[in-house]
Amino acid sequence: AETWRDSLNQPRHQPEERMSELEARQAADWIAAEITAGHVAPADVMVLARKRERLGWMHQALLERGIASDEPEKTDLADAPAVQD
């Protein structure tokens, strides 16, 4: 049985969200290791995801590891200049 959660102070986390956040942290660890090993430059890394919120988690995970990252834009991906090219 679930315990009571104060929804004003404690966000609800769905199992799928937790797995996606874990995947973002694991991917950020791998990217950090590749950069540290000299196998790739940070500017040469692009992360793609099916859902924008996952890119937000990746952005946060990269920042936590000291890797500069651009936060995903709030516009539709199809309207992004890189996609238009």
Side-chain angles (χ1 to χ4, degrees):
E2 286 191 36
T3 58
W4 183 81
R5 174 184 58 85
D6 181 356
S7 62
L8 296 176
N9 296 316
Q10 185 180 9
R12 176 177 35 184
H13 294 288
Q14 300 295 336
E16 180 182 328
E17 289 176 350
R18 290 183 182 183
M19 286 300 297
S20 295
E21 290 179 73
L22 175 61
E23 288 171 352
R25 289 193 302 272
Q26 290 173 336
D29 287 340
W30 181 83
I31 291 169
E34 291 296 300
I35 291 170
T36 300
H39 296 150
V40 66
D44 295 334
V45 177
M46 179 181 285
V47 177
L48 302 175
R50 292 182 190 261
K51 296 183 180 179
R52 184 175 287 120
E53 71 181 340
R54 293 179 181 183
L55 291 175
W57 293 329
M58 177 59 89
H59 172 70
Q60 184 61 40
L62 290 170
L63 291 179
E64 289 169 1
R65 286 151 183 79
I67 300 170
S69 165
D70 288 331
E71 188 168 2
E73 297 177 16
K74 301 299 180 192
T75 60
D76 287 335
L77 186 58
D79 295 332
V83 174
Q84 294 294 321
D85 286 344

